[in-house]
Amino acid sequence: MGSSLYSVRMRATCQSKHLAGAERIVTAAAVSETTAALTSRAMSHVNGVADEVYCSVERIDPAIVRYEKLPDISTYQLDDWQKGRQLACCMLSRAGVKEDIAARAVQLLANGAGPEGSAMRGAVIMDPATGERLERDQSRGVRVSRMDLAPECRSELERELASVGLDHHRVLEALVLAGKVLSAPGVVAELCWSDNPDYTTGYVADLHGGYQRITALKPVGDSLGGRVFFIDPTAVAIDELIDYLECQPVLFDGLGDCRTIHEPAANPADWPRSQLLFGP
Ligand code: WAQ
Ligand code: MG
């Protein structure tokens, strides 16, 4: 893929609060159209008028880029967010997070993991055995950056997502972010739901289950959300992990499966044995 690649990153604020952010990794030839596209996204954001838009362009040595395959996608269709959270706990414990720690992580995001119950800008890093928070800054958290789809993979994924009614950039970007997290050393699982009050779908991602969407993880109107990365601190040094998540360029050049939608069993007691244990 040509000689140089560029990391193009955009963030915008409205009344000093975060409004929009997005990033790509593209060839030199695509830098100007990409900055234009990302800027126009900030300028036409439904949540407010941008006061400040920052776009940065940074050259990446193509020799250091890692190529990875995206996780499989599955969707668990639920209306009841309390059951959604139970299902998330179930998935997390299957992935290797201690059961009470999984419940604690869900409660942390529900309460707002930032100072005074606010949503954080980045993610919590949590020890899956003890629940200890390992991120250095509990207000900012860890921001995953420098990841994208390889060009040939983008249109293929867009087609695949469109064929199951998921053709929104939110899904694609969350999938790429989760893919980068899963490619990091020491990762056991990720829990995420949006801080957008109208968007209730979130996910649990782990190496075996892939990107498992849960359609209700919070009530409509709730503007708290966040991410928790469960990291085994005996498998990786936390500084090394953070450096990987923030700085290592990762491109996805292969798609996972896009599985069908599941109606989880009505009784949560059946989850680990039915859908979850044997897989979709
Ligand atoms: N790195 C780490 N944490 C982040 C990042 C990042 N780059 N971006 C956002 N976060 C954290 C932060 O705490 C946000 O408050 C929280 O995640 C949610 O971010 O398949 O839209 O951008 O239907 O609101 C998932 C489901 C949607 C998509 C996630 O997250 C689907 C979403 P948002
Ligand atoms: Mg958001």
Side-chain angles (χ1 to χ4, degrees):
M1 193 202 288
S3 50
S4 289
L5 288 171
Y6 288 83
S7 161
V8 180
R9 286 174 289 153
M10 176 280 289
R11 67 188 170 88
T13 59
C14 169
Q15 294 173 346
S16 306
K17 288 174 90 181
H18 176 75
L19 173 68
E23 64 173 274
R24 302 285 312 277
I25 294 174
V26 298
T27 59
V31 165
S32 49
E33 63 178 281
T34 303
T35 52
L38 295 186
T39 307
S40 100
R41 208 163 120 174
M43 298 306 293
S44 58
H45 206 278
V46 291
N47 290 353
V49 177
D51 294 323
E52 292 173 345
V53 181
Y54 301 93
C55 236
S56 70
V57 178
E58 173 196 87
R59 197 166 71 81
I60 290 174
D61 175 1
I64 68 162
V65 173
R66 261 180 72 162
Y67 287 84
E68 295 282 344
K69 180 176 174 282
L70 285 169
D72 296 338
I73 306 168
S74 50
T75 299
Y76 291 81
Q77 189 78 50
L78 281 163
D79 298 324
D80 177 341
W81 58 270
Q82 279 137 322
K83 281 198 172 156
R85 287 178 180 178
Q86 265 178 284
L87 181 59
C89 286
C90 224
M91 290 169 171
L92 288 170
S93 80
R94 186 184 58 156
V97 178
K98 244 183 101 199
E99 227 170 285
D100 58 320
I101 304 304
R104 208 197 290 178
V106 167
Q107 204 52 50
L108 181 68
L109 292 191
N111 295 343
E116 285 145 35
S118 57
M120 290 166 76
R121 288 272 294 117
V124 173
I125 298 186
M126 189 175 278
D127 183 328
T130 66
E132 189 190 345
R133 286 177 71 167
L134 304 170
E135 74 277 17
R136 304 276 177 246
D137 177 343
Q138 294 196 355
S139 145
R140 175 183 178 271
V142 174
R143 297 274 307 167
V144 187
S145 183
R146 297 178 178 82
M147 64 282 181
D148 200 354
L149 296 155
E152 64 278 13
C153 205
R154 176 170 290 270
S155 45
E156 205 184 327
L157 178 63
E158 281 170 349
R159 264 199 310 279
E160 186 173 286
L161 291 177
S163 76
V164 291
L166 295 176
D167 51 338
H168 191 281
H169 61 71
R170 180 195 296 282
V171 179
L172 185 144
E173 285 163 9
L175 178 68
V176 168
L177 192 155
K180 179 166 180 188
V181 172
L182 290 181
S183 76
V187 171
V188 172
E190 178 189 354
L191 167 69
C192 164
W193 68 83
S194 177
D195 51 21
N196 182 321
D198 302 320
Y199 201 78
T200 63
T201 301
Y203 64 86
V204 169
D206 70 79
L207 285 169
H208 296 290
Y211 180 82
Q212 306 166 104
R213 309 174 65 243
I214 300 173
T215 55
L217 276 178
K218 67 173 188 181
V220 177
D222 182 348
S223 59
L224 288 173
R227 286 180 154 90
V228 180
F229 303 154
F230 296 93
I231 307 297
D232 176 359
T234 64
V236 64
I238 294 304
D239 287 339
E240 185 194 328
L241 170 84
I242 292 173
D243 185 63
Y244 180 91
L245 293 173
E246 293 183 339
C247 301
Q248 169 65 50
V250 175
L251 280 174
F252 291 90
D253 61 356
L255 303 192
D257 293 334
C258 195
R259 300 165 181 166
T260 42
I261 289 176
H262 303 277
E263 304 277 349
N267 181 359
D270 293 332
W271 288 343
R273 266 172 292 118
S274 56
Q275 285 95 346
L276 297 184
L277 193 60
F278 299 112

